[in-house]
Amino acid sequence: MIVSAVKSSIGKISTDLLTAFIFQDERLFKQKSDDLISLFGAPLQSALSSKDFSGKEGETLHLYTGNKRSPRLFVVGLGESKKFTIEKLRRAAATAAKKGNSLKVTSVGIEIPDTEVVLPESIEDVALAMSEASLLSLYKYDKYISKAKDGKKLSRIEFITASKYTSEIQQGVRQGQTIAEATIHARDLSNAPGSEIYPETLANDAKQLGRKMGFSVTVFDKKKILSLRMGGLIGVSKGSDKDPRFIIMEYGKQYKKRGTIILVGKGVTFDTGGISIKPSAGMAEMKMDMAGGAAVIGTFHALPELKLKRHVIGLIPSVENMPSGSAVKPGDIIRHYNGKTSEVDNTDAEGRLILADALSYASTYKPSVVIDLATLTGACVVALGHYASGMMGNDQEVMDALETAGEKTYDRVWQLPMFDEYEKLIKSDIADVKNVGGRWAGAITAGWFLKKFIGDYKWVHLDIAGTAIQEANQDYIPRGGSGAGVRLLIEFLRNWK
Ligand code: BES
Ligand code: ZN
Ligand code: ZN
């Protein structure tokens, strides 16, 4: 897809489908419809005076202009200007791109609306949001669909601006494209079947990305993992024919003086539950149990292109959780990288076991901040559904910054409490800690388990079980792997002190 920003009036642009936006407010509606009517004349005059279309949020109007330069006009309602947000603009841009896609036209022109008085965001952020959402809305995981793709396809999106801020808009559009591509990388990894993405191939994907984008990647194999005594990775992977990997990505070492930020992602490439096996209904979703790792890889995809001036390390412990004669069993005890032991009461609570190794290994870098992302608990999905990631941690400032980043990107988080009372629920009689905490507050007891393994650093845990795996298609988020966490982390990294 070619995405660009062009300086032009929408009346002069030549494109297969021209999209304009209109507010519902009486005055703004009148103003904009007068403008459009003066450009496109009669067909629009009758459509807009019919009252069938009043600029309500999500309402659309598609008509043929009789104009050779822009034969099709698509008008998208933005609702009331008072209630307008940048997320509504993302959705409107997604509507425009999807319309072009369904009409099978080659190019779509999308006007950058004048949002100066209605939105607090800069024009660059507005352009970024529109470009990321339009690209993300076109995503489809179709790698394994063999039916011949018919030739004609949308291949160009042009953002049109008549404002003097063309260079800011160009910059925003470019960054939006980078961020969308990074998110799409995470989606592709999540959606790939377990037969394609297992620890070794996940590591290869990271290595390939590192070579392409220019950051370093080190991968520990089973032998090295054994020698480091990462008992969580060894224990969980024991039941599988696939060996574990521990993936380390490093970007921006020259900025170490500003501190090291570590991103840790759960990389369970398939979670059957192990001996504590899951029910078969819905188990296929567990190919996405590496979405935390995918979010970290996706974030690294964007860092070099955004030229972020930060030292960032990505750690992905990766295993396949399978039942077999050699699998870890309930009642077994594991010794983790930092020497602490955990009682495996349920082999389906495997993510925390491998994250324990990664979080204690993180200490070796003396990081200032560590953020882990994991599709960790079904309980988090019960609590928050699919619209917010569960957040826990030991530093309110980092959590507040993530909350702000979440609001801005709409890749949202919601903080859960870490009261001391919850800690008692994971007490073990035979080991330092037990890997499950009983029926209640499952997302929080999982967070508490992780907390037992962190070092002397600011730490935040994001449970992305609900957000990374979506049930229904939304404006620019498809069913399946959503790439949740990528936009959030990028926004956080760009702003963290
Ligand atoms: N990968 C699952 C959590 C999950 C569930 C992610 C649904 C996405 C959607 C995790 O490994 C798991 O199985 N957790 C158990 C923990 C329990 C045994 C304490 C769960 O949530 O049931
Ligand atoms: Zn599990
Ligand atoms: Zn899992």
Side-chain angles (χ1 to χ4, degrees), residues 151-206:
K152 238 173 116 191
K153 247 189 121 183
L154 182 61
S155 62
R156 208 165 71 240
I157 301 177
E158 284 173 331
F159 290 95
I160 308 153
T161 173
S163 91
K164 59 179 191 249
Y165 302 109
T166 320
S167 69
E168 285 87 344
I169 289 172
Q170 272 166 348
Q171 171 87 345
V173 165
R174 252 196 315 272
Q175 291 180 347
Q177 181 168 19
T178 297
I179 293 168
E181 283 164 4
T183 307
I184 285 169
H185 189 163
R187 287 179 180 178
D188 278 341
L189 284 172
S190 291
N191 289 327
S195 58
E196 179 189 326
I197 292 293
Y198 45 90
E200 183 189 351
T201 53
L202 186 66
N204 289 343
D205 187 89

Coordinates of all heavy atoms in Angstrom, one line a residue, residues 151-206:
G151 N -7.4 -9.3 -9.6 CA -6.4 -8.3 -9.9 C -6.6 -6.9 -9.3 O -5.7 -6.5 -8.5
K152 N -7.7 -6.3 -9.5 CA -7.9 -4.9 -9.1 C -8.0 -4.8 -7.5 O -8.8 -5.5 -6.9 CB -9.2 -4.4 -9.7 CG -8.9 -3.1 -10.5 CD -10.1 -2.7 -11.3 CE -10.6 -1.3 -10.8 NZ -11.9 -1.0 -11.3
K153 N -7.2 -4.0 -7.0 CA -7.2 -3.9 -5.5 C -6.8 -2.5 -5.1 O -6.0 -1.8 -5.8 CB -6.2 -4.9 -5.0 CG -6.8 -6.0 -4.2 CD -5.8 -6.8 -3.5 CE -6.0 -6.8 -2.0 NZ -5.0 -7.5 -1.2
L154 N -7.3 -2.1 -4.0 CA -6.9 -0.8 -3.5 C -5.3 -0.8 -3.2 O -4.8 -1.7 -2.5 CB -7.6 -0.5 -2.2 CG -7.3 0.8 -1.5 CD1 -7.7 2.0 -2.4 CD2 -8.1 0.9 -0.2
S155 N -4.6 0.2 -3.8 CA -3.2 0.2 -3.6 C -2.6 1.5 -3.2 O -1.4 1.7 -3.0 CB -2.5 -0.3 -4.9 OG -2.8 0.7 -6.0
R156 N -3.5 2.5 -3.1 CA -3.0 3.9 -2.8 C -4.0 4.6 -1.9 O -5.2 4.7 -2.3 CB -2.7 4.6 -4.1 CG -1.6 5.6 -3.9 CD -1.0 6.1 -5.2 NE -2.0 7.0 -5.9 CZ -2.5 6.8 -7.1 NH1 -2.1 5.7 -7.8 NH2 -3.3 7.6 -7.7
I157 N -3.5 5.2 -0.8 CA -4.3 6.1 0.0 C -3.6 7.4 0.0 O -2.4 7.5 0.4 CB -4.5 5.5 1.4 CG1 -5.1 4.1 1.4 CG2 -5.3 6.5 2.3 CD1 -5.3 3.5 2.8
E158 N -4.3 8.4 -0.3 CA -3.7 9.8 -0.3 C -4.5 10.6 0.7 O -5.7 10.7 0.6 CB -3.8 10.4 -1.7 CG -2.8 9.9 -2.6 CD -3.0 10.4 -4.1 OE1 -4.2 10.7 -4.4 OE2 -2.0 10.5 -4.8
F159 N -3.8 11.2 1.6 CA -4.4 12.1 2.6 C -4.3 13.5 2.0 O -3.2 14.0 1.6 CB -3.8 12.0 3.9 CG -4.1 10.7 4.6 CD1 -3.3 9.6 4.5 CD2 -5.3 10.5 5.2 CE1 -3.6 8.4 5.0 CE2 -5.7 9.3 5.8 CZ -4.8 8.2 5.7
I160 N -5.4 14.2 1.9 CA -5.5 15.5 1.2 C -5.6 16.6 2.2 O -6.5 16.6 3.1 CB -6.7 15.5 0.3 CG1 -6.6 14.3 -0.6 CG2 -6.6 16.8 -0.6 CD1 -8.0 13.9 -1.1
T161 N -4.7 17.6 2.1 CA -4.8 18.7 3.0 C -4.6 20.0 2.2 O -3.7 20.1 1.3 CB -3.8 18.7 4.1 OG1 -3.8 19.9 4.8 CG2 -2.3 18.4 3.6
A162 N -5.4 21.0 2.5 CA -5.2 22.3 1.9 C -4.5 23.2 2.9 O -4.2 24.4 2.6 CB -6.5 22.9 1.5
S163 N -4.2 22.7 4.1 CA -3.6 23.6 5.1 C -2.1 23.8 4.9 O -1.5 23.2 4.0 CB -3.8 22.9 6.5 OG -2.7 22.1 6.8
K164 N -1.6 24.8 5.6 CA -0.1 25.1 5.4 C 0.8 24.1 6.2 O 2.0 24.2 6.1 CB 0.1 26.5 5.9 CG -0.2 26.8 7.4 CD 0.1 28.2 7.7 CE 0.0 28.4 9.2 NZ -1.1 29.3 9.7
Y165 N 0.2 23.2 6.9 CA 1.0 22.3 7.7 C 1.3 21.0 7.0 O 1.3 19.9 7.6 CB 0.2 21.9 9.0 CG -0.1 23.1 9.9 CD1 -1.4 23.6 10.0 CD2 0.9 23.8 10.5 CE1 -1.7 24.7 10.8 CE2 0.6 25.0 11.2 CZ -0.7 25.4 11.4 OH -1.0 26.5 12.1
T166 N 1.6 21.1 5.7 CA 1.8 19.9 4.9 C 2.9 19.0 5.4 O 2.8 17.8 5.5 CB 2.1 20.2 3.4 OG1 1.3 21.3 3.0 CG2 1.9 19.0 2.5
S167 N 4.0 19.6 5.9 CA 5.1 18.8 6.3 C 4.8 18.0 7.6 O 5.2 16.9 7.8 CB 6.4 19.5 6.4 OG 6.4 20.4 7.5
E168 N 4.1 18.7 8.5 CA 3.7 18.0 9.8 C 2.7 16.8 9.4 O 2.8 15.7 10.0 CB 2.9 19.0 10.7 CG 3.8 19.9 11.5 CD 4.0 21.2 10.7 OE1 3.8 21.2 9.4 OE2 4.5 22.2 11.3
I169 N 1.8 17.1 8.5 CA 0.9 16.0 8.1 C 1.6 14.9 7.4 O 1.4 13.7 7.7 CB -0.2 16.6 7.2 CG1 -1.1 17.5 8.0 CG2 -1.0 15.5 6.5 CD1 -2.1 18.3 7.3
Q170 N 2.6 15.2 6.5 CA 3.4 14.2 5.9 C 4.1 13.3 6.9 O 4.1 12.1 6.9 CB 4.4 14.8 4.9 CG 3.8 14.9 3.6 CD 4.7 15.8 2.7 OE1 5.6 16.5 3.1 NE2 4.3 15.8 1.4
Q171 N 4.7 14.0 7.9 CA 5.4 13.3 9.0 C 4.4 12.4 9.8 O 4.8 11.2 10.0 CB 6.0 14.4 9.9 CG 6.6 13.9 11.2 CD 8.0 13.5 11.0 OE1 8.5 13.3 9.9 NE2 8.8 13.3 12.1
G172 N 3.3 12.9 10.1 CA 2.3 12.1 10.8 C 1.8 10.9 10.0 O 1.7 9.8 10.6
V173 N 1.6 11.1 8.8 CA 1.1 10.0 7.9 C 2.2 8.9 7.8 O 1.9 7.7 7.9 CB 0.8 10.5 6.5 CG1 0.7 9.4 5.5 CG2 -0.5 11.3 6.5
R174 N 3.4 9.3 7.7 CA 4.5 8.3 7.7 C 4.6 7.5 9.0 O 4.8 6.3 9.0 CB 5.9 9.1 7.4 CG 6.4 8.8 6.0 CD 7.9 9.2 5.9 NE 8.2 10.5 6.5 CZ 8.2 11.7 6.0 NH1 7.8 11.7 4.7 NH2 8.5 12.8 6.6
Q175 N 4.6 8.3 10.1 CA 4.7 7.6 11.4 C 3.5 6.6 11.6 O 3.6 5.5 12.1 CB 4.8 8.6 12.5 CG 6.1 9.3 12.5 CD 6.2 10.4 13.6 OE1 5.2 10.7 14.2 NE2 7.4 10.9 13.7
G176 N 2.3 7.1 11.2 CA 1.1 6.2 11.3 C 1.3 5.0 10.5 O 0.9 3.9 10.9
Q177 N 1.9 5.1 9.3 CA 2.2 3.9 8.5 C 3.1 2.9 9.2 O 2.9 1.7 9.2 CB 2.7 4.3 7.1 CG 3.0 3.1 6.2 CD 3.2 3.4 4.8 OE1 3.6 4.6 4.5 NE2 3.1 2.5 3.9
T178 N 4.2 3.5 9.7 CA 5.2 2.7 10.5 C 4.5 1.9 11.6 O 4.7 0.7 11.8 CB 6.3 3.5 11.1 OG1 7.0 4.1 10.0 CG2 7.3 2.7 11.9
I179 N 3.7 2.6 12.4 CA 3.0 2.1 13.5 C 2.0 1.0 13.1 O 1.9 -0.1 13.7 CB 2.4 3.2 14.4 CG1 3.6 4.0 15.0 CG2 1.5 2.6 15.5 CD1 3.1 5.3 15.7
A180 N 1.3 1.3 12.0 CA 0.4 0.3 11.5 C 1.1 -1.0 11.1 O 0.7 -2.1 11.4 CB -0.4 0.8 10.3
E181 N 2.2 -0.8 10.4 CA 3.0 -2.0 9.9 C 3.5 -2.8 11.1 O 3.5 -4.0 11.1 CB 4.1 -1.6 9.0 CG 3.6 -1.2 7.6 CD 4.6 -0.4 6.7 OE1 5.7 -0.2 7.2 OE2 4.2 -0.1 5.6
A182 N 3.9 -2.1 12.2 CA 4.4 -2.8 13.4 C 3.2 -3.6 14.0 O 3.4 -4.7 14.4 CB 4.9 -1.8 14.4
T183 N 2.1 -3.0 14.0 CA 0.9 -3.6 14.6 C 0.5 -4.9 13.8 O 0.1 -5.9 14.3 CB -0.3 -2.6 14.7 OG1 0.2 -1.5 15.4 CG2 -1.5 -3.2 15.5
I184 N 0.6 -4.7 12.5 CA 0.2 -5.8 11.6 C 1.2 -6.9 11.7 O 0.8 -8.1 11.6 CB 0.1 -5.2 10.1 CG1 -1.2 -4.4 10.0 CG2 0.2 -6.3 9.1 CD1 -1.3 -3.6 8.7
H185 N 2.5 -6.6 11.9 CA 3.5 -7.7 12.2 C 3.0 -8.5 13.4 O 3.0 -9.7 13.4 CB 4.8 -7.0 12.4 CG 6.0 -8.0 12.5 ND1 7.3 -7.7 12.3 CD2 6.0 -9.4 12.6 CE1 8.0 -8.8 12.4 NE2 7.3 -9.8 12.6
A186 N 2.6 -7.8 14.5 CA 2.2 -8.5 15.7 C 0.9 -9.4 15.4 O 0.8 -10.5 15.8 CB 1.9 -7.6 16.8
R187 N 0.0 -8.8 14.6 CA -1.2 -9.5 14.2 C -0.9 -10.8 13.4 O -1.5 -11.9 13.7 CB -2.2 -8.6 13.4 CG -2.8 -7.5 14.1 CD -3.7 -6.7 13.2 NE -4.4 -5.6 13.9 CZ -5.1 -4.7 13.3 NH1 -5.4 -4.8 12.0 NH2 -5.7 -3.8 14.0
D188 N 0.0 -10.6 12.5 CA 0.4 -11.8 11.6 C 1.0 -12.9 12.5 O 0.6 -14.1 12.3 CB 1.4 -11.4 10.6 CG 0.7 -10.8 9.3 OD1 -0.5 -11.0 9.2 OD2 1.4 -10.1 8.6
L189 N 1.8 -12.6 13.4 CA 2.4 -13.6 14.3 C 1.4 -14.3 15.1 O 1.4 -15.5 15.3 CB 3.5 -12.9 15.2 CG 4.8 -12.6 14.6 CD1 5.7 -11.8 15.5 CD2 5.6 -13.8 14.1
S190 N 0.4 -13.5 15.7 CA -0.6 -14.0 16.5 C -1.5 -15.0 15.7 O -1.9 -16.1 16.2 CB -1.5 -12.9 17.1 OG -0.7 -12.2 18.1
N191 N -1.9 -14.5 14.5 CA -2.8 -15.3 13.8 C -2.2 -16.6 13.1 O -3.0 -17.5 12.7 CB -3.5 -14.4 12.7 CG -4.4 -13.4 13.3 OD1 -5.1 -13.7 14.3 ND2 -4.5 -12.2 12.7
A192 N -0.9 -16.6 13.0 CA -0.3 -17.7 12.4 C -0.6 -19.0 13.2 O -0.6 -18.9 14.4 CB 1.2 -17.5 12.3
P193 N -0.8 -20.1 12.5 CA -1.1 -21.4 13.2 C 0.1 -21.8 14.0 O 1.3 -21.5 13.7 CB -1.4 -22.4 12.1 CG -0.9 -21.8 10.9 CD -0.9 -20.3 11.1
G194 N -0.2 -22.6 15.0 CA 0.9 -23.2 15.9 C 1.9 -24.0 15.1 O 3.0 -24.2 15.5
S195 N 1.4 -24.6 14.0 CA 2.3 -25.4 13.2 C 3.4 -24.6 12.5 O 4.5 -25.0 12.1 CB 1.5 -26.2 12.1 OG 0.8 -25.2 11.3
E196 N 3.1 -23.3 12.3 CA 4.0 -22.4 11.7 C 4.9 -21.6 12.7 O 6.1 -21.5 12.5 CB 3.3 -21.4 10.8 CG 4.2 -20.4 10.1 CD 3.4 -19.3 9.4 OE1 2.3 -19.5 8.9 OE2 3.9 -18.1 9.3
I197 N 4.3 -21.1 13.7 CA 5.0 -20.3 14.7 C 5.1 -21.1 16.0 O 4.1 -21.4 16.7 CB 4.3 -19.0 15.0 CG1 4.4 -18.1 13.8 CG2 4.9 -18.3 16.2 CD1 5.8 -17.6 13.4
Y198 N 6.3 -21.6 16.3 CA 6.7 -22.3 17.5 C 8.0 -21.6 18.0 O 8.5 -20.8 17.3 CB 6.8 -23.8 17.3 CG 7.5 -24.3 16.1 CD1 8.8 -24.5 16.1 CD2 6.8 -24.4 14.9 CE1 9.5 -24.9 14.9 CE2 7.5 -24.8 13.7 CZ 8.8 -25.1 13.8 OH 9.5 -25.5 12.6
P199 N 8.5 -22.0 19.1 CA 9.6 -21.2 19.7 C 10.7 -20.9 18.7 O 11.2 -19.7 18.6 CB 10.0 -22.0 20.9 CG 8.8 -22.6 21.4 CD 8.0 -23.0 20.1
E200 N 11.1 -21.9 18.0 CA 12.3 -21.7 17.0 C 11.9 -20.7 15.9 O 12.7 -19.8 15.6 CB 12.6 -23.1 16.4 CG 13.8 -23.0 15.5 CD 14.0 -24.3 14.7 OE1 13.4 -25.3 15.1 OE2 14.9 -24.3 13.8
T201 N 10.7 -20.8 15.4 CA 10.3 -19.9 14.3 C 10.0 -18.5 14.7 O 10.2 -17.6 14.0 CB 9.2 -20.5 13.4 OG1 8.1 -20.9 14.3 CG2 9.6 -21.8 12.7
L202 N 9.5 -18.5 16.0 CA 9.2 -17.1 16.5 C 10.6 -16.4 16.7 O 10.7 -15.2 16.4 CB 8.5 -17.2 17.9 CG 8.1 -15.9 18.5 CD1 7.0 -15.2 17.7 CD2 7.6 -16.1 20.0
A203 N 11.6 -17.1 17.2 CA 12.9 -16.6 17.3 C 13.5 -16.2 15.9 O 14.1 -15.1 15.8 CB 13.8 -17.6 18.0
N204 N 13.2 -17.0 14.9 CA 13.7 -16.7 13.6 C 13.1 -15.4 13.1 O 13.7 -14.6 12.4 CB 13.4 -17.8 12.6 CG 14.3 -19.0 12.9 OD1 15.3 -18.9 13.5 ND2 13.9 -20.2 12.3
D205 N 11.8 -15.2 13.4 CA 11.1 -14.0 12.9 C 11.8 -12.8 13.6 O 12.0 -11.8 12.9 CB 9.6 -14.1 13.4 CG 8.8 -12.9 12.8 OD1 8.3 -13.1 11.7 OD2 8.7 -11.9 13.5
A206 N 12.1 -12.9 14.9 CA 12.7 -11.8 15.5 C 14.1 -11.5 14.9 O 14.5 -10.3 14.7 CB 12.9 -12.0 17.0

